[in-house]
């Protein structure tokens, strides 16, 4: 296929899906010619029938650029060039923001639907890579847990890591900063030419709203401060989350804890995550229900969940703010040495919360998940962190998404679990040493056949994730743990 044919198909398809206006046809063609170092285009070339998918034509354009030595044939080179191609069919930030808020006046859901579809069409959301992720559900005493093996993010080579370490000039300051919008990219900083951010006013300040390129769930979005400031979870966090669920009533919004170990992977920039997704924790059984002691408008619930969760519900968000702040303040200073919970060591704070806000009809809900990041010689990674015997499956921080019952497991497990399956079937294998003891236990659990091995293995992984979450719980699912939890919340019961 000639390069003229590929260009024609790309621009025609972009127009067919309403991403390139018919009046912008020649402009789009000429932008592509510039990127591809071409001076001429055969206007007599007719579009292919049927038209290729837009991303297939994009791939052919990138292949041409690598063949002609216009770009390096590396993952970074291809990614950056893909973004430049797709920028041609992406509106300017000013135009996109105007269109978004015009749609919002008709319906908030329509505004996010159209922005989300744009981010899929222009390949900012990596739909093809996300489709590679593996997902399955596993039953637990707490309800179904969702297990995903994250295969979408490309693994960094040693060269990528070395180049990133040299990239220290501070622009953009981090991968969340608004400075990334339209940035070409460099070693250590992804190409974001096709990236767009919606400006959202929150309590007098401008925040950015974007979608995650490698979404972990439906409409996975990120809301971040305009200024590059570190995560700081407090009274204002509840205010912001309540406001966001007012602006986007069809989305949940949540904040990671603001401390290492129990926080997410990005503590350097204040941000929240949200989306339109129903998580396992939302289905958790309710152990206790009561009226909040200082505010009868608030209903509170203690959930049966591996982590320690109090759910607050009220019609007025100010009532939620009051109750949530009282709960956070009490937890900030709570210690119970019998359960290894210490609020502070000298001046170092250990207690924190993961917060999840949502709308339930016209009511507001806030889940307050109690966390603690203390370490000991026995548990140097964290007392309330995945313990060593489950780290062969999950050793990373337990952040907001895992708290909600969705496991994000590392890509290494795809090949490693295949070796474990071979081992338990008695076939030749190259099992990783850190899976050996677990695999031996699985092998003793009865008759394993080719027909049931995969199911047995998935259930075993799910049970390990259940343990991961239980390790992160501060009030364990034991008589002592639940008595202590009940005593802690007694001060808030009318």
């Amino acid at each position: 296929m000639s390069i003229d044919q590929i260009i024609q198909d790309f621009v025609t398809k972009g127009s067919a899906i309403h991403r390139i206006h018919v009046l912008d046809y020649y402009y789009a063609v000429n932008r592509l010619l510039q990127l591809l170092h071409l001076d001429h285009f055969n206007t007599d070339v007719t579009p292919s029938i049927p038209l290729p998918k837009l991303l297939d034509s994009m791939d052919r354009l990138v292949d041409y650029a690598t063949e002609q030595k216009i770009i390096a044939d590396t993952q970074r080179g291809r990614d950056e060039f893909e973004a430049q191609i797709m920028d041609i069919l992406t509106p300017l930030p000013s135009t996109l923001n105007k269109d978004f808020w015009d749609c919002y006046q008709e319906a908030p859901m329509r505004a996010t639907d159209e922005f989300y579809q744009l981010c899929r069409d222009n390949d900012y959301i990596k739909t093809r890579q996300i489709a590679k992720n593996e997902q399955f559900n596993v039953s637990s005493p707490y309800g179904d847990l969702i297990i995903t093996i994250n295969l979408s993010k490309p693994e960094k080579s040693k060269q990528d890591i070395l180049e990133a370490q040299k990239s220290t000039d501070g622009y953009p300051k981090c991968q969340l900063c608004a400075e990334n919008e339209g940035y070409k990219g460099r070693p250590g900083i992804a190409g974001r030419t096709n990236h767009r951010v919606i400006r959202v006013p929150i309590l007098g300040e401008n925040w950015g709203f974007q979608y995650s390129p490698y979404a972990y769930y439906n409409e996975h979005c990120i809301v971040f401060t305009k200024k590059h400031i570190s995560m700081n979870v407090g009274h204002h966090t509840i205010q912001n989350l309540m406001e966001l669920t007012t602006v986007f009533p069809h989305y949940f919004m949540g904040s990671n804890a603001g401390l290492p170990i129990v926080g997410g992977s990005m503590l350097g920039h204040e941000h929240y995550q949200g989306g339109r997704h129903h998580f396992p924790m939302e289905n958790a059984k309710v152990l206790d229900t009561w009226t909040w002691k200082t505010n009868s408008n608030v209903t509170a619930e203690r959930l049966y969940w591996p982590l320690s969760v109090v759910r607050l519900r009220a019609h007025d968000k100010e009532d939620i703010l009051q109750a949530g702040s009282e709960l956070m303040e009490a937890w900030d200073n709570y210690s119970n040495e019998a359960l290894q919970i210490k609020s502070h060591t000298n001046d170092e704070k250990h207690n924190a919360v993961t917060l999840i806000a949502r709308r339930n009809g016209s009511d507001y809900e806030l889940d307050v998940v109690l966390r603690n990041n203390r370490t000991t010689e026995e548990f140097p990674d964290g007392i309330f962190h995945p313990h060593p015997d489950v780290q062969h499956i999950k050793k990373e921080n337990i952040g907001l998404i895992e708290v909600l019952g969705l496991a994000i497991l590392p890509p290494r497990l795809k090949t490693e679990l295949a070796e474990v399956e071979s081992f338990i079937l008695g076939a030749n294998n190259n099992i990783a040493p850190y899976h050996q003891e677990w695999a031996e236990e699985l092998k003793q659990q009865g008759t394993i056949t080719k027909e049931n091995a995969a199911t047995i293995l998935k259930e075993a992984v799910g049970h390990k994730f259940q343990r991961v979450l239980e390790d992160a719980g501060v009030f364990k699912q034991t008589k002592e743990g639940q008595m202590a939890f009940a005593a802690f919340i007694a001060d808030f019961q009318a």
Side-chain angles (χ1 to χ4, degrees):
M1 184 180 290
S2 71
I3 187 59
D4 289 340
Q5 185 70 64
I6 299 169
I7 291 172
Q8 178 69 272
D9 289 348
F10 179 86
V11 176
T12 304
K13 184 65 173 182
S15 179
I17 64 172
H18 308 293
R19 293 301 173 205
I20 296 174
H21 195 283
V22 290
L23 297 180
D24 296 328
Y25 170 85
Y26 288 115
Y27 174 81
V29 168
N30 288 328
R31 285 283 308 280
L32 286 172
L33 294 180
Q34 179 186 9
L35 287 175
L36 297 168
H37 297 182
L38 297 171
D39 296 321
H40 303 284
F41 174 69
N42 183 359
T43 57
D44 293 331
V45 172
T46 57
S48 298
I49 300 176
L51 276 169
K53 295 178 180 178
L54 192 69
L55 297 185
D56 289 343
S57 292
M58 179 195 75
D59 289 340
R60 293 187 178 109
L61 292 169
V62 174
D63 288 342
Y64 176 87
T66 59
E67 291 163 6
Q68 299 299 314
K69 311 297 184 186
I70 296 168
I71 63 170
D73 190 7
T74 62
Q75 187 65 56
R76 183 170 70 84
R78 296 180 71 91
D79 287 347
E80 290 179 1
F81 200 71
E82 286 173 3
Q84 292 175 58
I85 291 170
M86 302 312 275
D87 182 46
I88 292 170
L89 46 76
T90 307
L92 288 171
S94 55
T95 301
L96 184 61
N97 272 264
K98 180 181 182 303
D99 291 345
F100 181 92
W101 291 110
D102 284 347
C103 284
Y104 185 91
Q105 298 308 311
E106 297 180 23
M109 194 179 295
R110 183 188 164 197
T112 56
D113 281 351
E114 294 201 3
F115 181 40
Y116 182 66
Q117 190 57 49
L118 167 66
C119 293
R120 289 167 60 88
D121 287 346
N122 80 348
D123 200 43
Y124 182 73
I125 297 175
K126 302 295 185 182
T127 54
R128 295 183 297 181
Q129 288 89 328
I130 292 167
K132 298 175 185 176
N133 293 342
E134 295 188 0
Q135 179 173 314
F136 53 92
N137 289 8
V138 175
S139 297
S140 83
Y142 311 98
D144 283 354
L145 301 175
I146 304 172
I147 311 299
T148 63
I149 298 178
N150 178 31
L151 303 170
S152 57
K153 279 190 178 181
E155 300 234 17
K156 292 181 179 178
S157 67
K158 288 184 179 180
Q159 185 62 30
D160 290 333
I161 295 169
L162 288 172
E163 288 179 343
Q165 290 170 347
K166 299 174 185 176
S167 182
T168 57
D169 67 0
Y171 182 89
K173 295 183 183 68
C174 78
Q175 63 192 37
L176 282 183
C177 284
E179 300 154 2
N180 286 280
E181 190 175 38
Y183 188 69
K184 177 183 177 295
R186 68 171 191 274
I189 302 291
R192 299 287 180 84
T193 323
N194 58 336
H195 175 40
R196 298 294 183 267
V197 176
I198 302 298
R199 274 61 174 181
V200 181
I202 304 293
L203 302 174
E205 293 188 17
N206 270 330
W207 289 61
F209 170 88
Q210 68 177 63
Y211 287 105
S212 171
Y214 297 97
Y216 293 142
Y217 52 82
N218 186 45
E219 297 184 42
H220 182 178
C221 67
I222 301 169
V223 182
F224 57 94
T225 50
K226 181 179 178 182
K227 295 178 182 177
H228 180 75
I229 55 175
S230 298
M231 289 284 290
N232 177 26
V233 178
H235 174 91
H236 69 284
T237 310
I238 301 177
Q239 279 186 308
N240 291 337
L241 294 177
M242 292 296 105
E243 187 65 20
L244 283 167
T245 55
T246 303
V247 176
F248 302 115
H250 53 299
Y251 277 3
F252 88 91
M253 289 287 172
S255 172
N256 270 306
L259 298 181
I261 298 176
V262 294
S265 59
M266 282 289 296
L267 294 179
H269 195 129
E270 182 93 298
H271 72 285
Y272 311 129
Q273 296 180 75
R276 197 188 317 185
H277 194 81
H278 192 85
F279 289 91
M281 195 174 84
E282 294 178 58
N283 300 328
K285 297 174 186 175
V286 176
L287 294 175
D288 301 305
T289 302
W290 71 94
T291 299
W292 199 255
K293 186 174 184 178
T294 60
N295 191 327
S296 61
N297 295 324
V298 178
T299 299
E301 298 171 340
R302 179 166 64 106
L303 304 186
Y304 179 56
W305 193 245
L307 289 103
S308 307
V309 189
V310 175
R311 176 168 295 162
L312 305 173
R313 185 181 304 110
H315 187 69
D316 191 320
K317 58 189 176 185
E318 293 301 319
D319 293 328
I320 292 282
L321 176 60
Q322 177 196 331
S325 296
E326 290 175 2
L327 183 60
M328 285 175 60
E329 184 177 348
W331 177 246
D332 276 349
N333 298 292
Y334 177 86
S335 292
N336 186 326
E337 295 201 22
L339 301 180
Q340 297 188 286
I341 301 169
K342 286 187 180 180
S343 64
H344 294 79
T345 302
N346 299 322
D347 293 329
E348 183 184 357
K349 180 181 176 182
H350 295 305
N351 285 354
V353 293
T354 302
L355 299 171
I356 302 102
R358 69 182 73 83
R359 301 295 291 275
N360 186 342
S362 60
D363 287 344
Y364 290 87
E365 283 186 352
L366 180 71
D367 290 347
V368 182
V369 187
L370 309 178
R371 313 293 303 276
N372 180 286
N373 79 341
R374 195 164 75 88
T375 61
T376 61
E377 287 187 12
E378 182 183 4
F379 298 112
D381 295 324
I383 300 170
F384 304 102
H385 179 81
H387 287 183
D389 63 319
V390 297
Q391 288 186 5
H392 65 106
I393 296 297
K394 175 73 173 178
K395 63 182 179 181
E396 296 80 11
N397 292 3
I398 303 307
L400 169 70
I401 299 169
E402 287 91 359
V403 163
L404 287 161
L406 171 58
I408 310 297
L409 301 183
R412 63 179 171 84
L413 286 178
K414 181 175 175 62
T415 53
E416 290 180 5
L417 292 177
E419 297 296 337
V420 173
E421 184 174 342
S422 294
F423 176 85
I424 64 177
L425 285 170
N428 291 334
N429 64 84
N430 188 24
I431 189 171
Y434 45 79
H435 290 311
Q436 186 75 46
E437 183 178 349
W438 176 57
E440 294 279 6
E441 292 172 1
L442 292 178
K443 204 169 184 178
Q444 306 306 316
Q445 290 183 4
T447 304
I448 300 175
T449 66
K450 288 184 179 180
E451 289 71 29
N452 67 14
T455 299
I456 289 171
L457 198 53
K458 286 179 179 179
E459 289 177 353
V461 170
H463 295 152
K464 283 287 184 177
F465 180 60
Q466 175 189 322
R467 261 288 319 283
V468 162
L469 296 183
E470 289 172 337
D471 286 348
V474 291
F475 294 113
K476 302 300 184 189
Q477 296 295 334
T478 62
K479 181 180 178 181
E480 294 77 13
Q482 291 306 296
M483 285 179 63
F485 196 179
F488 172 69
I489 61 176
D491 289 342
F492 306 109
Q493 295 174 336

